[in-house]
Amino acid sequence: MKYFLKENRIHILFMIFLGLMFILWGRMLYREFRLNTYTRNLTTTEARLSCLSYFGWEGDPGSEQKKVVVIPEPLDLVYRRYNQLQTPCGFNLERYCGKTVYCYTYQILNFPHQGEEPVYANLLIYEGALIGGDCMSTALDGFMLPLDRRFLK
């Protein structure tokens, strides 16, 4: 057995490495598949609320507001800063410069430490797919945070 391990050490290490790579690749594919099921086909209020729920937020369906937004080409200073908020969550608005998108806004019901002012979630949707979003407060000393709760600071 010692001889076998000594002679095949490189092969064994290579097989362990391949196994770990396969596991990591599988986890990435699973996460991407799961994310895509919640961020695609957002054509109904229920689908958009389900998307918010995936990111950890409970939205009020009665507060839905819809507006049309044109992403500037090239991104201006405001949109470049907003895009910096998007990139940690896996979104990038640079691909949508010049495109017309829909912004759906919902009041968040489960924001931690919610004060008197309501907190809202914005979903930017292009052709039924989520391309960005945020959580924000409209208070004078308000804030804007990433849509994905894992990236809250």
Side-chain angles (χ1 to χ4, degrees):
M1 184 71 162
K2 241 185 198 182
Y3 176 75
F4 176 79
L5 292 175
K6 187 175 182 181
E7 289 295 317
N8 295 307
R9 178 178 48 197
I10 292 176
H11 295 292
I12 292 169
L13 290 174
F14 182 71
M15 293 303 286
I16 291 172
F17 175 75
L18 281 179
L20 289 173
M21 291 303 293
F22 181 72
I23 290 170
L24 291 174
W25 180 69
R27 288 184 60 139
M28 280 186 355
L29 283 179
Y30 173 74
R31 184 184 182 287
E32 187 66 27
F33 175 75
R34 187 169 173 221
L35 177 67
N36 280 337
T37 60
Y38 287 101
T39 61
R40 303 282 185 244
N41 300 320
L42 301 178
T43 56
T44 65
T45 300
E46 293 78 25
R48 290 185 291 274
L49 290 173
S50 179
C51 176
L52 276 177
S53 177
Y54 172 76
F55 289 111
W57 304 114
E58 180 185 344
D60 178 14
S63 68
E64 179 181 80
Q65 296 178 15
K66 175 184 176 182
K67 64 182 174 183
V68 176
V69 177
V70 177
I71 308 292
E73 183 176 9
L75 293 179
D76 59 18
L77 179 63
V78 172
Y79 271 92
R80 281 194 308 246
R81 287 186 178 166
Y82 186 70
N83 202 36
Q84 289 174 347
L85 185 71
Q86 303 303 309
T87 51
C89 300
F91 302 117
N92 187 355
L93 296 179
E94 289 179 354
R95 292 187 258 161
Y96 302 97
C97 287
K99 306 285 187 198
T100 301
V101 302
Y102 293 105
C103 178
Y104 290 90
T105 303
Y106 298 92
Q107 184 175 352
I108 297 297
L109 302 175
N110 66 332
F111 193 83
H113 313 294
Q114 189 166 350
E116 294 178 20
E117 293 291 324
V119 176
Y120 297 96
N122 295 307
L123 300 175
L124 293 176
I125 298 177
Y126 178 72
E127 295 182 352
L130 183 69
I131 63 167
D134 63 82
C135 288
M136 65 169 200
S137 167
T138 56
L140 286 177
D141 61 342
F143 56 84
M144 184 174 283
L145 301 169
L147 183 63
D148 196 336
R149 289 184 81 158
R150 295 175 296 170
F151 297 101
L152 291 180
K153 296 177 181 172

